[in-house]
Amino acid sequence: MDIDATSPAAATRPGVVPAGAAGPVDRGLPVNWSLAKGTAARLMAAGPQTDPSVAAELVARLRTDSAIAEGHVRETTGLGAGLPLLPADVLDRPAWARAALDGMAALTAGAELPHTPKLARAVTGTTAGAQVGALLAYLGARVLGQYDPFGGPDGAGRLILVAPNIYAAQQSLGVDSEDFALWVCLHEATHRLQFTAVPWLRDYFSDQVGQLLSIREPDAAKLARLPEAIRSMRGTGGDPLALVELLQGPEQKAVLDRLLALTTLLEGHADHVMDAVGPRVVPSVDVIRERFTARRRGGGIIDRLLRTLLGVEAKMRQYAVGAAFVRHVDGEIGMAGFNRVWESPDTLPTRAELDAPQDWLRRVA
């Protein structure tokens, strides 16, 4: 039986959210979200096969472990006292893609572009919808979970775990299933806690994304920078993110810097907390971390190419840079001192400070 929740039997399992409604209406950026969902559904690879009882047990464990994991994360970070401990939504691959697209639509809804002819907007929206759907189909077979600050029925946030991918990863790595499930939950629960325990973070993130998408620059200005950007790419190792940055105008680059600094901090913090909690509650954490890190670097030639083109490799570097920053600050002044990063946007580290934590310590702590 497929561990995906697309079969009638799977749809009755407690904790699995089956196929849902179409989601938000098309608005904001010119993306045909309905087409994106249809494209993702058509291109999504089928999930792994397993016994129904194994699938049901995994779903139940993930819902329980997500709340347990956040309790451990709170003890380590000192964040979130008094907040309810809630289970995650456990989804199949197509349902994750729909949820991700709904979150993207909500996040970009306020970023209106300048007036565009209706026909041109429709053509752009169709192209973008197909591209985004294809991207989600690729990622949908790989992502283990995520916290969407803008997801859920009320738009207040939603922790999602993708059961078939967690099962497939655990089988591929050959690690203990119970340990691996809790280990994954530790990372994703940290992300939920970041947004629920820091009151201003959700609006700040939304505002920065809105600013980035709303800043428009004449195409001629970008074209003028293109030759120099291409020449500069020789020193970036072909990083697509580096090319994007080189093509940005000053105003766009300032916003992008703030967003990249924030996401690097969030990912690094989650990785650091996961490893700090792990030895206490996940007996085989060392084996899991070693094999999972090798998995992040692995894959065939085509898979590595796609990851590079999609910027996934850049995200892997974010984990390393962010985790090194958190580890250094935690070692210098402890987690209570590190938590000064959450006081306001002004206490967040800059991109330069992420590479030089002592500079942040001198400025803030």
Side-chain angles (χ1 to χ4, degrees):
M1 178 181 177
D2 197 325
I3 197 171
D4 279 354
T6 50
S7 67
T12 63
R13 295 187 211 131
V16 175
V17 180
V25 297
D26 297 343
R27 58 186 179 177
L29 293 181
V31 177
N32 186 326
W33 298 110
S34 297
L35 176 61
K37 289 181 180 180
T39 302
R42 287 193 301 274
L43 298 180
M44 188 76 69
Q49 301 290 319
T50 188
D51 185 88
S53 62
V54 174
E57 193 275 333
L58 174 61
V59 168
R61 184 192 309 147
L62 289 172
R63 284 179 56 82
T64 301
D65 280 357
S66 59
I68 292 173
E70 186 166 327
H72 293 309
V73 171
R74 292 182 187 187
E75 292 176 7
T76 297
T77 63
L79 300 173
L83 294 175
L85 285 170
L86 302 174
D89 289 337
V90 183
L91 308 185
D92 63 8
R93 289 174 174 179
W96 170 82
R98 289 192 297 273
L101 288 165
D102 286 347
M104 292 168 64
L107 179 59
T108 61
E112 296 286 352
L113 296 180
H115 176 70
T116 307
K118 187 174 182 179
L119 178 59
R121 188 176 180 89
V123 172
T124 303
T126 299
T127 303
Q131 291 174 337
V132 171
L135 168 62
L136 268 290
Y138 171 81
L139 295 176
R142 290 157 176 79
V143 66
L144 302 182
Q146 70 179 75
Y147 179 69
D148 180 359
F150 310 97
D154 56 0
R158 184 185 191 190
L159 179 60
I160 296 171
L161 297 170
V162 188
N165 295 348
I166 293 174
Y167 176 83
Q170 178 265 320
Q171 291 288 299
S172 174
L173 296 174
V175 294
D176 182 84
S177 60
E178 294 186 12
D179 283 4
F180 187 68
L182 182 57
W183 188 75
V184 171
C185 287
L186 288 171
H187 185 97
E188 303 308 334
T190 304
H191 283 317
R192 174 164 63 182
L193 191 61
Q194 290 163 346
F195 281 92
T196 55
V198 182
W200 53 267
L201 186 58
R202 182 178 182 273
D203 288 342
Y204 174 77
F205 179 68
S206 176
D207 178 66
Q208 295 301 306
V209 171
Q211 285 188 47
L212 182 66
L213 297 177
S214 299
I215 296 171
R216 305 300 296 168
E217 187 180 41
D219 290 339
K222 291 186 177 182
L223 287 173
R225 287 196 296 270
L226 185 57
E228 179 61 29
I230 293 175
R231 286 194 294 270
S232 300
M233 279 291 287
R234 295 173 182 173
T236 66
D239 184 351
L241 178 58
L243 179 59
V244 170
E245 292 185 79
L246 290 167
L247 291 174
Q248 300 293 316
E251 190 177 2
Q252 289 175 317
K253 189 175 187 306
V255 179
L256 183 61
D257 276 352
R258 291 194 293 271
L259 268 173
L260 288 173
L262 175 60
T263 55
T264 300
L265 174 70
L266 296 180
E267 294 295 356
H269 181 241
D271 251 25
H272 176 75
V273 170
M274 179 170 59
D275 287 342
V277 175
R280 290 192 287 109
V281 299
V282 181
S284 59
V285 64
D286 291 338
V287 174
I288 291 174
R289 168 55 81 185
E290 179 183 358
R291 295 182 184 178
F292 191 78
T293 300
R295 178 179 182 264
R296 278 179 173 173
R297 294 193 297 261
I301 294 176
I302 299 300
D303 189 61
R304 291 201 299 271
L305 174 62
L306 285 171
R307 282 161 42 186
T308 299
L309 292 174
L310 297 173
V312 177
E313 295 301 327
K315 188 174 180 63
M316 294 304 102
R317 288 192 290 275
Q318 278 189 300
Y319 285 106
V321 172
F325 173 85
V326 179
R327 186 164 55 248
H328 181 93
V329 174
D330 185 13
E332 289 285 322
I333 58 175
M335 189 55 69
F338 167 83
N339 284 342
R340 290 208 61 187
V341 298
W342 311 122
E343 289 182 0
S344 77
D346 292 334
T347 58
L348 290 172
T350 65
R351 288 185 72 186
E353 287 172 340
L354 286 168
D355 286 317
Q358 285 294 345
D359 292 346
W360 181 85
L361 285 166
R362 282 191 292 269
R363 179 175 69 86
V364 175

